[in-house]
Every structure is written in structure tokens, then in C-alpha cells.
Amino acid sequence: MNYCITMRKSPIIKIAKTLLWIIGFLLIVVGGLYPIKNRDVLLVVDIDGETESIMVTAEEMQLLHQIKLPYSGSETTGIKEIRFYRHFTSLCISKISMEKFDEYAYIDGNELVFNENTLKKMKELSTSVISERLLYVEVILAGIILVWILLNALDEKINPKNYDNHGPIYEIKRFANDLVKYQEYIIFSARADLKAEVANSYLNRLWWLLEPFFNMLVYVVVFGKVMGRSVENYATFVFSALLMWNYFSKTVNYSVKCVRNSRDIVTKIYVPKYVLLLSNMVLNFIKLLFSLLVLVVMLIVFQVSVGNAVFWVIPAYIVMIVLSFGVGMIFLHYGVYVDDLAYAVGILLQMLMFLSGIFYEMITALDAPLNEILLCFNPVAVFIDTMRNALLNNRVTNVPLIGVWLILAILLSYIGIHNVYRNENGYVKVI
Amino acid sequence: MYDNLALEVQHVSIDYRDLTHMSLAKSLRKGEVRRANVVRAVNNISFSVNQGEILGIVGRNGSGKTTLLRSVAGIFQPDEGVIDTHGNRVSLMAIGIGFNANNTGRENILKSGMLLGCKMSYIKEHMDEIIEFSELGDFIDRPVRTYSSGMYSKLSFAVTAILDTDIMLVDEVLSVGDEKFRKKSFKKMEQLMQSDRTVLIVSHATNTLEQFCNRVLWINDGQFMMIGETDTVLAAYNESMQL
């Protein structure tokens, strides 16, 4: 442990970092303003799980007055919804639900005919490329952070003393070692805490199942019967999303108070502070598993048929968990120093909850530019949308967004770990 | 005794800043933080401890003993200077590390043992020994919240006393429990003296230090006063304590 700090970064790295900022900024400006030519739009009709699609190019849109699709039935009952895609076939940009079907199309013999309204909508979609632009900005941001960390790693390699054991290579190694060292504690402590929560109660461990079960009942009654006629299986729709949201919000909420709550440990022994957060995350994960069990029962009771796409629930959950760790680590650090952060985070999370499309579907419920912007910049909305589509509609969605957020979540976690390693030895003096 | 060093402390200074409870508005204006009052708790202290040695640290209340001990334990970083533990595992013997009142004594032993850096299998091996030492009997499988304060301290003393770490830091906890348990703890300390374990004891009770220590360090108001043979240092300390 050497605490003498002599920071002298090599000038090449300094220049490279300045260049990185300039290039990154330019790329974002250019990407944001570059006149992209009108895109082709893919129109997909969902008929009882089967899809019928037609690609309409930007030029055709100007010429055509109507679009025809072969359709065998004479009634519209089989048709679930009409979706539009631009460049990414997993990134749905707009939807027409069945209630508004008559405005956009009619059945003529063996054909499904889409009228001018549809074409007008498609033209609008073709000129706006907001979600592609936002995705591009996110990729550039991730790139800048990644290169920044790589530059630091290079600097650390050239001159290890500069970083005083806070360079990326050292920290990642240390993180891996600590994880191995403390994994027994993390898991054991999560289980013990879980047990302690119900230790006094009469029904004891049964509560782990009873709590999500009664929660589910509330949603079935309130959202299934009283509200929600527009979405199929509204109770499942809300319940599955809330499970995911609750995990995220619990983790972030806990992280703010994490170090203060663990005063007993922190003031008596050295322990990497994220161990405390991880232990709580494992605890919540065990609870989540019980809730998921209830969800499975719910799916069986409501006879939701599940297909291959259901496996996309797993990556959605994994990225969500990594991101909640990353966000949690950043709040963990500031929560130590700033007293009122707990209130602020509570309010922010509540606002975010209603912007995450738990009670509604983002694409259909909100207007054109807003829904795409929210879906791109609110990661929780992306995870919920992907998870729910995979589970209830057997459809793979938002693949590029999940990919970008995975990278961003890992980078955010690294920044959080770096921040905490750098400052954790000062925490005891403050709490 | 032995020649190889277990611990080296060089020119260590530790500051406390008065910024305990900040508000969001204040923290945004960073200047406020920088101008916070700085209290120097430990000022330029150097010493080294040999392998297997027992060093006492003596001083009045608020002289920075505990602060020094905590930074040796790695709980916080000194603002200046170097602390080198030569790769030894250090543990601060303290009451109830990571105890959860709703868990049983047994679960809490495992929990705090793992926080001290021991493997689960290792703790399980020594479980009986710890339970026996703690004199808790059947209470070990009851929630810790049902314990009396004496039982609580006995349990936590037992955990740190039995589970081996290379360097043990003791902060005035030898006075826990009843007369019998106290004698037992003293016996355990004597055992440790004979073993190869390095121990740092903080106390202002000079008779404890006389009994165990090879050497004693005296600090006053964060300043280094003297270090040397137990008798010499304690005599000087006692003299300064006279009214």
C-alpha cells in the first residue's frame, strides 16, 4: 500500500484524450444533423401469430395510392395488429391496433387493402429517422467511454506508478479477485438476511410465495377486471413488467443508503463496498425467482402460449441486472456524501416508473417522436418491452438497443467500481 | 524476538474533515467542501512491529489511538504516509461485525467470520471451538436479538479470538463479559502471546498493557511521544497523568 501520489500522465495520452473528445463531439453533431435519405418501410400484418409482410421503398410510397396484401379470411378477427419497421427488423417504430383498423385498411375479396392514411403514415415514418439517430448517438457515447478507458489502461501499462493502483487493468483484476474472495459471503449473507426478514412471522418462509401471489391477485382483479380492455391479458402484461421494474428500483434505492445502513460493518472492517450492494442484489434476486414462479402459474392459468422467443427474457434480465449494478454503484458513492440523495432518487425512480411503459405499451400509447426517444434513452423501458414481447407475444424485439445497453451497462459498472475503489477508504470518516 | 517485520507504519497522518452531513445544495458548490474544518487526528507517526510481537498503544481519550488502529486495519486510508502490512491479513477485534439481530448466533458466526476473510469450510471446522469459548450453549441457535449484552460481546469476542488472522488489533474489548469470561479472555491473550501472532492492543488501562505487551507506543493528541520497553514507557505515561 503506497499512498504517495505523483500524477504525471504522458503527453501522448493527454493529446489522444483531447482528440477523442473532439472526434466524439464531431461525430455526434454530424450524426445528429446528417441528412439521411428517406428510408424504406416494412409493413407487417400479424395474423394469429403468423405474419404477412411487404416492403415498400421510399420511391414507391410517392407513387402508390394503396397497398394490397393477400388475405384468406373474410373477417378482420384474425388480425392482431399492424406493425411498421424501418431499418432494424426487431425495432418496431409504429403500430396500428385493431380498434383503429378501419381507418387504415379494409378487406376486398382475397386481399387486404391499405388506404391513403396508411401511406401517409408510412411516408412520415420514412422521413423521420429519430430512433436510428439516437441509437447512433448511444453507440458513439459507448465508444468514447470505451476508448477513454482503453487509453487509461495503456497509460497504466506504460507507467504503472501514475495511477497509484487505480488504473483500469489493476482495478478489473482486483474486482475479479474480490468477487471470488467474497462470493461465499455475498451468497450466505443474502440467504441469512432473507431468513431474518421472516424469522419472526408465523407463516415464515411461506411469505416468499404468498407476497408475490397476493400481489398478482391484486393486479388480476384491478387491471384484469376493472381496467384494461385494450391489451390482451392485461394483468399478466402489468405483473411481468412490474417484477422487472421492482428489481431495478429496489437495487437503486438500496444502493443510496447502502454504506450508511451497513455502518456496523464498514466502521469495523475493510470490505469492498460493492459486496454489500451485491449481497442485497442476490437477496432481491432470490425473491424475484419466487415471483417468477408465480408468474409462470399465471401464464398457465391465463393460457398464454409461449414460443421459442421466450429465451430472450434471459438476456433482457441479465442486462437489466448489470445496469442496476452500474447505476447502483454510482449512487452508492454519492449516497455516502450527500444526505438528501435518498429522497431525490426516490422521486426520480417514481417518475421513471411511469416513463417505463409498465402500464402501457410505449409504442402505441405515446405519440410519434416521444415514444421512440423514450424507448432509446430509457433502458428500463427497453428491457421491459423486450421481456414482455418475448414472453407474451413470442416476438424478439429491440435487439440493437439491448446490445448497446449491455455495453453501456458494463462501462457504467466499471466507472462505478473505479469511483468506489478510489474513495471507499474515506467513507468511514463521513458516516 | 523475531527479526522479520510484520507491520511498518511510516510518517502517517490522518485528517478528519467536518463535512459529515452535507446537503445537496451545498455539495453542488464544491468550494464549501474544500473549506471544511480539518482536524488532524494522527500526526506524523512512525513505528514498526515484528512478527509475533505484542505492541501496546497507550494514550488519553481522543488522542488518536483508535483512528490509528483503524487505518492499520485498512478501514481507511491515511492522508499522508505509508502503512505496509507485508501481505499479512489484519483484523480489528471489534464487537459484532456484521451481526444481524434476527439471525441465530451460528449464522452470525459464519457471517462475521467470512467478513474477516475466512473460508466457510474453515469457520465450520472451528465452529464448536467458538461456541464453546463463547459459553453460549443452547442460545447459539436462537436469534441474537434475544441475547443479553454480555452474551453478545462474548460471542463476538469468541469469533475474532478463535479465527486466525496474522495481525490482530484489539481495541479495549478485553473488559467484556463477567469475571470468569474475562479471565478466560486473558488466558487466550496469553496463549496468543506465546504463538506467532502479531497483536496491537489499544488501551488506557495500563495494567492490561503491563501484562501482555513486549513494547508500548505512547501517543498524545495525535503526536508521537515515545516507544520502547513496556515499563519505561508506562512509567513515563503514568507520570504525565499525575495531577
Side-chain angles (χ1 to χ4, degrees), chain A residues 11 25 46 60 62 73 125 134 166 173 176 203 209 219-220 252 263-264 266 270 324 378 396 425:
Chain A
F25 182 72
D46 196 327
E60 281 171 345
Q62 302 302 323
L125 293 173
L134 292 179
H166 288 296
K173 271 187 198 155
L203 292 174
L209 268 177
Y219 293 121
V220 169
V252 174
R263 211 171 177 280
D264 266 359
V266 172
Y270 171 76
S324 59
N378 182 356
V396 181
N425 281 329

Side-chain angles (χ1 to χ4, degrees), chain A residues 1 3 184-185 188 192-193 195-196 200 260 265-270 337-340 425 428-429, chain B residues 15 21-22 24 70 74-77 79 81-83 95 98 100 102-103 107 110-111 115-116 120 145:
Chain A
M1 278 189 266
Y3 295 120
E184 269 186 338
Y185 172 76
F188 182 81
D193 285 346
K195 248 165 123 183
N200 290 330
R260 281 169 193 267
I265 298 174
V266 172
T267 53
K268 286 172 186 165
I269 200 163
Y270 171 76
Y337 293 99
V338 186
D339 239 1
D340 22 16
N425 281 329
V428 192
K429 295 175 184 173
Chain B
D15 292 336
H21 289 275
M22 241 181 352
L24 195 60
R70 278 184 175 179
I75 294 170
F76 56 61
Q77 185 176 337
D79 294 275
V82 183
I83 294 174
I95 303 294
N100 183 333
N102 275 329
N103 283 134
E107 284 165 341
L110 281 170
K111 242 173 132 177
L115 275 176
L116 288 171
M120 175 127 56
R145 95 191 112 80

Side-chain angles (χ1 to χ4, degrees), chain B residues 87-123:
Chain B
N88 291 309
R89 274 191 317 154
V90 185
S91 73
L92 180 65
M93 190 185 270
I95 303 294
I97 303 160
F99 276 20
N100 183 333
N102 275 329
N103 283 134
T104 64
R106 205 182 285 271
E107 284 165 341
N108 276 318
I109 291 175
L110 281 170
K111 242 173 132 177
S112 56
M114 278 189 261
L115 275 176
L116 288 171
C118 300
K119 286 256 167 274
M120 175 127 56
S121 50
Y122 177 83
I123 305 166

Side-chain angles (χ1 to χ4, degrees), chain A residues 10 91 95 225 287 303 331 344 364 371 387 419 422:
Chain A
S10 45
L91 213 63
K95 257 184 195 178
K225 301 284 176 226
K287 281 186 178 175
Q303 296 175 334
F331 281 125
T364 41
N371 54 10
M387 182 272 300
N419 226 351
R422 229 194 150 99

Side-chain angles (χ1 to χ4, degrees), chain A residues 242-286:
Chain A
L242 267 176
L243 292 186
M244 203 173 213
W245 168 258
N246 278 343
Y247 187 88
F248 181 81
S249 88
K250 270 185 196 166
T251 303
V252 174
N253 250 330
Y254 177 80
S255 71
V256 185
K257 301 168 289 182
C258 180
V259 176
R260 281 169 193 267
N261 280 359
S262 315
R263 211 171 177 280
D264 266 359
I265 298 174
V266 172
T267 53
K268 286 172 186 165
I269 200 163
Y270 171 76
V271 55
K273 302 302 172 281
Y274 53 79
V275 166
L276 306 169
L277 179 63
L278 277 175
S279 164
N280 186 265
M281 285 174 72
V282 172
L283 184 150
N284 281 329
F285 188 73
I286 299 171

Side-chain angles (χ1 to χ4, degrees), chain A residues 80 228-237 302-304 392-393:
Chain A
K80 275 170 84 180
R229 289 264 172 261
S230 58
V231 183
E232 207 184 341
N233 280 327
Y234 194 56
T236 344
F237 181 87
F302 285 95
Q303 296 175 334
V304 178
L392 302 177
N393 302 331

Side-chain angles (χ1 to χ4, degrees), chain A residues 314-329:
Chain A
I314 297 165
Y317 261 106
I318 290 173
V319 182
M320 190 274 292
I321 288 169
V322 177
L323 184 84
S324 59
F325 175 71
V327 174
M329 283 301 279

